Amino acid sequence: ELAALLKEGRPVTFQGARTGIMGAAVPTAGRAVNLTALSGATALGQDEKGFWIDVLPGTLLCDLRAALRRREFDTARWSDASKAALKSLPAGLDFLPDPTEETASLGGMFMTNAGGPSSLSCGRTAEHVLAISGLFASGESFALARGQCQIDGAGRCALPGGQTLQLPACPGLLLPLCPAPGQDLVDLLSGSEGMLAAVTSLRLRLSARPKVRWSVVFFFDGPQGAAAFADGALAMRPAWEGCDLL
């Protein structure tokens, strides 16, 4: 249904949990499609680097974290391999990116490449995404793993199915979304806010939560002192999990 909608050629604005404050989910024309009903974990597995989990884009961060803490999921449609992986899932694993709003959807976090103060230590959302599937603006479906597609100097990218994706030249206004030679296509799509594609599934890397966290408040005479302190905190990464100016 989503592919047919995109092939109509009308503008489509995809929405997640609408927790963002920048207005990216607000349509200016055409149709709005909310993906929060597409939620839940669909698979769990383990590779040489640890555990991963497949989720639908409408899954909320708070729901995923709660299920990981309990190690309880709706496994009715899981494969036997995923059910076996759940039995061996250790305690303390989490999806670390934290946009400071746990009711955010994971698809929305990917499409905005959400970070938050915790990105100081764990990075932004895209760094924890191993693979995605979805639809390009043309309505063509894709499944893409990190490392499969890198963009060349002419803005082209060879897709797994044999097709070649030609990315248009970017005007100055969209410079942050312009492809860079050697950039992974997963990283380009992350943060594109639905202008390049819509995701229908994500494979996320699970990592160990810090065993101990301290929250410390510092007071400064002015913004210059706070900025100097922030520079020092960045130099000590990853000793600081997050840093926020209040």
Side-chain angles (χ1 to χ4, degrees):
E1 291 181 8
L2 292 177
L5 184 64
L6 289 170
K7 289 178 181 178
E8 290 180 3
R10 298 174 60 187
V12 178
T13 300
F14 287 96
Q15 300 176 338
R18 294 177 294 186
T19 59
I21 60 175
M22 301 302 293
V26 179
T28 58
R31 299 181 178 181
V33 178
N34 191 289
L35 299 179
T36 50
L38 291 175
S39 64
T42 58
L44 179 71
Q46 186 177 15
D47 56 25
E48 66 280 1
K49 294 185 179 180
F51 282 85
W52 52 261
I53 191 166
D54 288 348
V55 299
L56 298 175
T59 308
L60 302 185
L61 176 61
C62 57
D63 291 341
L64 175 61
R65 287 181 165 173
L68 287 169
R69 284 194 296 268
R70 299 191 306 265
R71 285 179 283 179
E72 294 179 0
F73 293 87
D74 180 359
T75 61
R77 298 185 179 182
W78 282 23
S79 67
D80 290 340
S82 291
K83 293 176 182 178
L86 180 58
K87 292 180 180 179
S88 61
L89 183 71
L93 291 186
D94 201 352
F95 184 61
L96 294 184
D98 186 358
T100 69
E101 178 49 76
E102 280 202 323
T103 60
S105 68
L106 292 162
M109 287 177 60
F110 174 78
M111 277 309 200
T112 58
N113 199 15
S118 66
S119 62
L120 189 62
S121 63
C122 69
R124 303 177 72 87
T125 298
E127 298 174 53
H128 301 261
V129 176
L130 303 178
I132 57 174
S133 62
L135 299 164
F136 289 119
S138 63
E140 182 181 1
S141 63
F142 66 88
L144 183 66
R146 178 173 293 280
Q148 274 189 309
C149 301
Q150 281 79 36
I151 299 162
D152 65 17
R156 294 187 300 262
C157 183
L159 299 174
Q163 310 97 317
T164 298
L165 177 66
Q166 177 66 62
L167 296 162
C170 291
L173 181 64
L174 297 179
L175 190 60
L177 298 180
C178 289
Q183 184 179 20
D184 196 291
L185 185 56
V186 171
D187 292 324
L188 178 65
L189 295 179
S190 180
S192 65
E193 299 192 2
M195 290 192 290
L196 302 177
V199 292
T200 55
S201 179
L202 306 100
R203 176 162 293 183
L204 310 176
R205 171 66 69 199
L206 300 179
S207 306
R209 291 191 299 269
K211 294 182 179 180
V212 178
R213 282 183 172 138
W214 286 84
S215 295
V216 184
V217 178
F218 297 91
F219 296 91
F220 302 95
D221 292 334
Q224 291 80 9
F229 176 84
D231 286 340
L234 286 170
M236 295 174 63
R237 181 179 179 181
W240 293 91
E241 180 176 341
C243 184
D244 205 358
L245 178 64
L246 303 177

